[in-house]
Amino acid sequence: MDKLEAYREKMEAELRELEGKIRVMRAKASKAEADAKVGLQEEVDGLESKKEKVRQRMEELKTSGSSAFEDLKSGVQDAYGDLKRSVESAFDRFK
């Protein structure tokens, strides 16, 4: 397994973990009172948008050759870092 493939697998696993937390938050948002539900739903929708940005970066990484790996890796890491911080912050508030 080369560096690119190992990195993709690692990021896929980490992204699946964050997706699980987003699913939990979406379920909690659906059970919330009407006023709170709107705010929670907007927050979850924002997380979904950030998740899609990471997915797009991962797809770019998947279709690129190993020569572009280092350039694309920083974009993936930036998008993932932003998503992770947002998910962790929201998840703490959802508890």
Side-chain angles (χ1 to χ4, degrees):
M1 179 182 306
D2 67 0
K3 243 171 96 170
L4 174 60
E5 186 62 29
Y7 180 74
R8 278 197 310 239
E9 285 184 14
K10 173 185 175 267
M11 291 306 298
E12 284 291 335
E14 290 182 16
L15 188 55
R16 282 191 301 273
E17 182 180 326
L18 292 180
E19 287 172 333
K21 288 184 177 184
I22 292 171
R23 281 191 298 276
V24 168
M25 288 184 281
R26 185 170 298 283
K28 288 184 179 185
S30 70
K31 294 179 184 178
E33 295 292 325
D35 290 341
K37 188 175 189 171
V38 171
L40 295 174
Q41 192 61 47
E42 288 173 356
E43 189 159 6
V44 171
D45 289 345
L47 294 173
E48 290 286 351
S49 176
K50 289 181 181 189
K51 181 190 79 171
E52 287 308 312
K53 184 176 180 179
V54 174
R55 282 266 173 228
Q56 286 175 332
R57 299 276 191 228
M58 293 291 295
E59 192 59 35
E60 290 170 8
L61 191 65
K62 189 183 293 185
T63 60
S64 73
S66 58
S67 61
F69 171 64
E70 290 301 322
D71 293 335
L72 293 172
K73 181 180 172 183
S74 70
V76 170
Q77 287 176 324
D78 289 346
Y80 176 79
D82 182 39
L83 174 62
K84 184 174 181 174
R85 284 186 300 277
S86 297
V87 167
E88 295 298 332
S89 175
F91 198 73
D92 286 344
R93 287 192 308 276
F94 271 72
K95 288 182 179 177

